[in-house]
Amino acid sequence: PNEDPLPLFVFLSRESLPGLLTVCLLLPTCASKAGPAFKPNILLIMADDLGIGDLGCYGNDTLRTPNIDRLAEEGVRLTQHLAAAPVCTPSRAAFLTGRHALRSGMDATHGYRVLRWNGGSGGLPQNETTFARILQRQGYATGLIGKWHQGVNCESRTDHCHHPLNHGFDYFYGMPFTLVSECHPGWPPQVAVALGGRLWLSTQMMALGVLTVAAGKTLGLISVPWKFVWGAASLVLLFFGSWFASLGFVRRWNCILMRNHDVVEQPMALESTARLLSGEALSFIQRHKPGPFLLFVSLLHVHVPLMTTKEFQGKSQHGLYGDNVEEMDGLVGDILNAIEEHGLKNTTLTYFTSDHGGHLEAIDGHVQLGGWNGIYRGGKGMGGWEGGIRVPGIFRWPGVLPAGRVIQEPTSLMDIFPTVVQLGGGQVPQDRVIDGRSLVPLLQGEAEHSAHEFLFHYCGEHLHAARWHDKDSGRLWKVHYVTPRLHPEGAGACYGHGLCPCSGPGVTHHDPPLLFDLSGDPSEAQPLAPGSEPLYGAVLARVEQAVREHRRTLSPVPPQLSPGRIAWKPWLQPCCGHFPFCSCSQDPALREA
């Protein structure tokens, strides 16, 4: 009777599973026998644009983040957790699939680095497999609350080919797009500001020309038919209408809330969005507490515009941004409290992170509206510097993961895919390259080192940097091939440009590359030279070899961020009501409540 333990497992209470699963995960034969019977709930929380230096557990002593700090105290904290891209769309695509975004066409190849419109046709391809899809097949209830930013439609307003429900999520409530400044009526415009300015100037010049001709005709100074004048005026109106239909209604087209396939608020009212998302997360936990469930809470905090309720305004030491961080921590606390109140703490793997580094260029005069990246150089948009890609990484699972443990090994957001798939009893796809590696052995202390020897850091399609963890010596080398030219010179970011570019005149190509030893210089302050580092040449050669091997694994795929797929298409625009008079001011479910 003791040869096959499976019959005994079924009689154990759910509360006793963590300790048993700790043993089970260490036995090669156990996963196949008992894995399906012991599937933990999985709660993934991702902040937007949060700097690693904004949290108390990562060294901040001026912002209050007690809930996230408690999560770190009760779990495992990663100090070298890295995003696969320094901006939203590609970073999240890599997180969901465990693959560099270039492999799915979700990174820049034509200059556009993120999806720009709900009404575009680009998005996460249907042939990509997310961790949600695999866990859905394993019997998990899967939900996404919050930001998506991976596209909506392909050919019609209702095909929803890129929608979360077409990528393994049973339930979706949130923004199919992302926050932009236009979502707040009081903030200056952000989307295609330069293009909109040029188009408006062109419209004014054309209108002035038509008025001049009309005046000349009226005064008898110009001999042209009135049909010509009215025809020219019609063309000007058509030109104006064609571009203003998109750029003039950014808030109405992009700032919307959806429940599953239905638009429920258009445009969204920011003052109530945080409450709505929090309520949806708590409701999902309540509905699926028998488990197992996968809940991905993709926060809108702390992306600009900084939507902050009155309860938190003016409460921090760092203005509106600090208020927003502290409100975010409060939302995380509400979710963690719900997990505990429903008795799910010991059977739930909880994970907290950010999609990339803080947005240094987000400023209003002398007021900082973006995050702080601690001691790390650079920020959002910079594919190589640590400040753009080093993010929080916190795991909690009482009884399975040791409390208070700190891991300084290189890990990636792409590692969440194989980690979640393993814990959920699924199999990592074998028909494609998976760049992530399961963190289970590392988190449990059974592996001394990360499974990553090399990690590659892209800015769009351009490889900006690579790191080598030499496990024999323990040294961590970082090689920079391309770095952004900061503006103004000597500054820490590209102020006045929104984000640093990936290519063109705004970057510097280094030949030979810059070399840093992150083991002793995590701030990347002192580049090494052949005279100061005996291994200089050998390290560059070894990393270059790894880069060549990595590049050979890349295959051409249709670019999802091409101009044709990025452009706003009215026939793809999600809409409640009759297009173009799209409008709904209150979620029907809330109205009934």
Side-chain angles (χ1 to χ4, degrees), residues 98-442:
R99 291 155 48 84
H100 279 289
L102 275 176
R103 300 192 190 278
S104 58
M106 289 292 282
D107 215 337
T109 54
H110 296 80
Y112 297 99
R113 301 177 62 182
V114 298
L115 295 174
R116 292 297 190 96
W117 298 99
N118 278 322
S121 59
L124 189 64
Q126 291 173 282
N127 62 358
E128 287 294 325
T129 300
T130 67
F131 51 68
R133 179 172 291 170
I134 296 177
L135 263 63
Q136 186 182 55
R137 294 168 180 165
Q138 295 298 313
Y140 274 74
T142 57
L144 168 59
I145 309 297
K147 170 177 172 172
W148 175 238
H149 210 187
Q150 299 293 301
V152 183
N153 299 313
C154 289
E155 298 179 357
S156 74
R157 186 171 295 131
T158 58
D159 67 30
H160 297 140
C161 67
H162 303 306
H163 191 279
L165 267 59
N166 207 35
H167 279 293
F169 291 99
D170 300 318
Y171 184 76
F172 169 62
Y173 184 92
M175 284 193 80
F177 192 60
T178 183
L179 281 178
V180 289
S181 293
E182 285 87 347
C183 293
H184 193 298
W187 283 59
Q190 173 185 349
V191 177
V193 174
L195 175 60
R198 290 194 295 270
L199 292 172
W200 178 237
L201 179 61
S202 299
T203 303
Q204 290 176 307
M205 293 177 65
M206 288 189 289
L208 181 61
V210 171
L211 290 173
T212 301
V213 171
K217 171 68 175 176
T218 302
L219 296 174
L221 301 176
I222 302 176
S223 179
V224 295
W226 277 109
K227 288 184 178 179
F228 173 82
V229 176
W230 291 115
S234 298
L235 288 175
V236 172
L237 285 173
L238 181 62
F239 174 75
F240 172 73
S242 66
W243 68 262
F244 192 76
S246 57
L247 297 185
F249 292 91
V250 173
R251 181 168 179 251
R252 187 165 299 276
W253 299 148
N254 277 347
C255 306
I256 67 175
L257 289 176
M258 296 183 75
R259 171 177 279 112
N260 295 327
H261 289 140
D262 299 322
V263 179
V264 295
E265 194 166 270
Q266 188 172 17
M268 59 193 283
L270 282 183
E271 60 273 12
S272 61
T273 302
R275 175 175 56 84
L276 291 175
L277 296 180
S278 175
E280 287 287 337
L282 302 186
S283 177
F284 184 92
I285 294 170
Q286 167 70 31
R287 294 196 306 272
H288 299 289
K289 60 183 179 181
F293 65 77
L294 163 72
L295 176 58
F296 177 21
V297 181
S298 182
L299 299 168
L300 302 185
H301 293 64
V302 289
H303 196 291
V304 293
L306 300 168
M307 54 172 198
T308 309
T309 58
K310 292 182 180 180
E311 178 185 355
F312 287 89
Q313 290 179 11
K315 298 298 179 64
S316 78
Q317 298 182 37
H318 294 285
L320 187 58
Y321 180 80
D323 299 345
N324 206 243
V325 171
E326 295 189 359
E327 181 177 57
M328 175 202 68
D329 182 77
L331 294 176
V332 172
D334 291 341
I335 297 170
L336 297 181
N337 289 340
I339 290 289
E340 296 175 12
E341 289 168 3
H342 290 300
L344 304 176
K345 182 176 179 179
N346 291 343
T347 55
T348 300
L349 172 72
T350 301
Y351 167 73
F352 179 86
T353 191
S354 176
D355 55 355
H356 47 68
H359 190 184
L360 301 181
E361 293 89 352
I363 56 175
D364 181 14
H366 297 291
V367 178
Q368 183 68 36
L369 301 176
W372 182 50
N373 298 313
I375 65 171
Y376 305 110
R377 190 171 178 178
K380 176 181 178 179
M382 304 186 204
W385 295 123
E386 291 292 285
I389 54 177
R390 195 178 287 222
V391 295
I394 303 171
F395 292 83
R396 184 187 72 177
W397 189 0
V400 176
L401 303 182
R405 186 159 182 255
V406 178
I407 296 176
Q408 301 184 26
E409 295 286 305
T411 58
S412 170
L413 288 185
M414 296 184 291
D415 297 337
I416 303 307
F417 176 92
T419 302
V420 165
V421 167
Q422 178 182 346
L423 294 176
Q427 295 293 325
V428 171
Q430 302 299 309
D431 62 345
R432 64 199 66 194
V433 176
I434 301 295
D435 298 294
R437 301 291 181 266
S438 175
L439 295 174
V440 171
L442 188 66

Side-chain angles (χ1 to χ4, degrees), residues 22-74:
T22 302
V23 177
C24 184
L25 289 172
L26 305 182
L27 298 177
T29 60
C30 187
S32 61
K33 288 186 177 182
F38 298 99
K39 298 174 181 176
N41 302 314
I42 297 173
L43 170 63
L44 310 175
I45 306 175
M46 176 178 282
D48 196 359
D49 287 16
L50 179 72
I52 190 172
D54 289 326
L55 302 177
C57 54
Y58 283 93
N60 194 310
D61 59 1
T62 59
L63 283 175
R64 293 167 294 187
T65 56
N67 296 296
I68 298 172
D69 297 345
R70 175 167 59 92
L71 198 64
E73 291 171 2
E74 298 176 350

